[in-house]
């Protein structure tokens, strides 16, 4: 379980997170929506200890991330896969090299054939052929790079997967493919997923529970159906600004 309590963070003199409380239960798929610049990526970075809060706590499976030592942070990161905003593949590594980075450090030393077999399975799960194994990221389309980033996240069979804007910047066909892929991965890998997105359609399609982050706080949370029907002003403002079929 991931428990975030009273999380505060100022950046550049401005309060970005101003008392965020959030719990993510085992097996759940949670979507975090919110306007651009509202602190969604900052929140994810606190979960893996890439940023330290000014106040408050993030507890992953009983480990307090802000107060964890190097070993504790290593343990937390071994449980969490992070699909960064814009895929963030290693430019100089092939797809195979990138996928190996999703495995624990040293896992492939002397075991390249076994690791390559795992890489093939991960590629199959994201509907990519193993023809791409020796290609560099620059030789792939944007949609394929996202798939490789997701394959890198699932290859290590981690308990939690954090996706930061997995469909942003993709055309609608590729965005739909990625959403279907994430939905299938959530079912098959049985991971607990957090998906950050400002794409309302993605959030409502993928999530068991949706949270609206705005003004540094969780303004509302509920199932997609609950949020569609709510008259909570912050939710209505967000949903009505970008109406999609069945939401407005
Ligand atoms: N390392 C940093 N130093 C200073 N300010 C930062 C840093 N990282 C983020 N910020 C600021 O914190 C705020 C929240 O940023 P964040 O990237 O979390 O937004 P976001 O909700 O993920 O937006 P988007 O939807 O555009 O990705 C922004 O105003 C951003 O400029
Ligand atoms: Mg972001």
């Amino acid at each position: 379980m991931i428990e975030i309590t009273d999380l505060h963070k100022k950046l550049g003199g401005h309060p970005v997170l101003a008392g965020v409380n959030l719990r993510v239960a085992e097996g759940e798929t949670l979507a975090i929506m919110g306007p651009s610049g509202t602190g969604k990526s900052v929140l994810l970075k606190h979960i893996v200890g890439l940023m330290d809060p000014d106040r408050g706590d993030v507890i992953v499976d009983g480990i307090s991330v802000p107060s964890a030592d190097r070993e504790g942070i290593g343990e937390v990161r071994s449980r969490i896969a992070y699909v960064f905003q814009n895929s963030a593949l290693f430019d100089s590594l092939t797809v195979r090299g990138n996928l190996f980075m999703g495995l624990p450090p040293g896992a492939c030393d002397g075991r390249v054939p076994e690791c390559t077999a795992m890489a093939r399975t991960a590629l199959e799960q994201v509907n990519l052929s193993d023809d791409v194994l020796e290609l560099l990221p620059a030789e792939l389309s944007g949609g394929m790079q996202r798939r490789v980033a997701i394959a890198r996240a699932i290859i290590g069979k981690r308990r939690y997967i954090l996706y930061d804007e997995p469909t942003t910047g993709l055309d609608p066909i590729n965005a739909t493919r990625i959403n279907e892929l994430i939905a299938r991965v959530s079912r098959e890998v049985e991971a607990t997923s957090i998906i950050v997105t400002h794409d309302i359609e993605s959030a409502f399609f993928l999530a068991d529970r949706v949270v609206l982050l705005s003004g540094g706080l969780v303004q509302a949370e509920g199932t997609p159906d609950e949020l569609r029907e709510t008259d909570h002003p912050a939710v209505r403002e967000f949903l009505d600004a970008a109406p999609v079929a069945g939401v407005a």
Side-chain angles (χ1 to χ4, degrees), residues 121-129 147 177 180-181 184:
T121 305
L123 287 176
E124 207 176 292
Q125 283 175 299
V126 300
N127 295 334
L128 280 177
S129 116
R147 280 161 195 265
R177 280 192 189 145
E180 286 169 356
L181 174 63
R184 188 162 54 74

Side-chain angles (χ1 to χ4, degrees), residues 206-222:
L206 290 169
D208 301 315
R209 197 156 59 91
V210 180
V211 160
L212 176 66
L213 187 72
S214 176
L217 290 167
V218 171
Q219 299 286 350
E221 60 180 285

Side-chain angles (χ1 to χ4, degrees), residues 35-42 44-45 85 164-165 196 198:
S36 210
T38 204
K40 303 181 301 295
S41 298
V42 164
L44 289 188
K45 286 174 188 165
Q85 201 159 350
D164 196 351
E165 307 275 7
V196 159
H198 37 65

